[in-house]
Amino acid sequence: MKKLLNVAVTAMTLLWSANTFAQTVQEPEFIGECMVLKSDNTTQLLQKHTTQMRSAMNAGMVLVGIGSVKSKLQIDGCCSATKLKVSDNIQFIIRSVDNNTDPMAIVKIFRFDSSKKYRRAEVSSENNWGTVKTNKLQYLNFSGKKYGNNSYLITLKDRVPGEYGITITNPNALDEKSTIVSTFSIQ
């Protein structure tokens, strides 16, 4: 009986410790915010950017009228202030309206092409023959689970060096006014 009581007390202590540990990392303050969860259980809020839409024709379209037009998301600056390592277990805490929707439906993590002045990601393209391709972003695979009351814990499966962005859509809204992107880089 005494041995059983010791096991029960140990189990309760472990559960209390796990619950206390889980509550030490708070959810982001606002809907749409993303924090990277570091290995020491501290967090860093990712920098947010308002995107611009940029459309451009290729040279063939300009010169002879045959070619394509590409639309891209663009943000200023070459690179993100948040630098992560390929070897890290990269996890994010992302705040949403609630966490009842499958995170794959509302969280998008995608790669940017980077230059010295800006970062761009191709959203769509259209050519003379009427072919339109949309949703052309280069997505990273991730797994997600509920975290806290309104957030998700997102774990990256793909960890390739580059510049990346995260968008969160509101499944309850009919009209997203502008696209906000949280950025990070993997080195």
Side-chain angles (χ1 to χ4, degrees):
M1 183 71 173
K2 188 175 182 180
K3 192 174 189 178
L4 183 60
L5 183 61
N6 284 341
V7 169
V9 168
T10 303
M12 292 298 287
T13 303
L14 287 173
L15 284 173
W16 177 80
S17 297
N19 190 30
T20 301
F21 171 75
Q23 293 176 2
T24 59
V25 177
Q26 298 295 316
E27 295 180 72
E29 185 175 359
F30 299 110
I31 294 169
E33 286 188 329
C34 304
M35 299 186 310
V36 64
L37 180 61
K38 297 181 179 182
S39 59
D40 62 358
N41 286 322
T42 60
T43 59
Q44 178 183 354
L45 191 62
L46 297 183
Q47 185 177 14
K48 295 185 286 188
H49 304 271
T50 302
T51 61
Q52 305 165 4
M53 281 301 290
R54 180 179 186 278
S55 294
M57 293 183 232
N58 64 12
M61 182 67 100
V62 172
L63 295 174
V64 294
I66 298 174
S68 63
V69 177
K70 296 180 180 182
S71 295
K72 297 182 179 189
L73 287 176
Q74 178 176 305
I75 57 177
D76 294 332
C78 69
C79 41
S80 174
T82 304
K83 313 278 189 219
L84 307 174
K85 295 180 182 172
V86 172
S87 60
D88 291 344
N89 179 29
I90 301 174
Q91 293 185 306
F92 300 100
I93 300 171
I94 297 177
R95 176 94 183 248
S96 184
V97 174
D98 59 42
N99 56 9
N100 296 322
T101 304
D102 181 354
M104 293 292 288
I106 62 172
V107 176
K108 304 297 181 205
I109 305 174
F110 58 92
R111 185 180 184 125
F112 281 109
D113 294 325
S114 183
S115 74
K116 291 181 181 180
K117 295 182 180 180
Y118 53 78
R119 287 165 274 174
R120 291 182 181 157
E122 186 175 333
V123 177
S124 65
S125 65
E126 182 175 357
N127 64 30
N128 288 71
W129 294 275
T131 303
V132 177
K133 294 180 183 176
T134 60
N135 202 18
K136 292 189 69 173
L137 297 171
Q138 299 173 37
Y139 294 112
L140 289 182
N141 291 315
F142 64 85
S143 62
K145 62 182 185 177
K146 291 182 177 188
Y147 185 87
N149 295 324
N150 298 304
S151 298
Y152 297 99
L153 178 64
I154 301 295
T155 304
L156 283 186
K157 292 180 180 178
D158 299 335
R159 294 187 300 272
V160 179
E163 294 292 324
Y164 295 95
I166 301 174
T167 59
I168 301 101
T169 56
N170 180 351
N172 302 325
L174 300 175
D175 184 24
E176 296 284 335
K177 300 296 183 216
S178 66
T179 303
I180 304 295
V181 177
S182 298
T183 60
F184 67 97
S185 64
I186 299 176
Q187 301 175 335

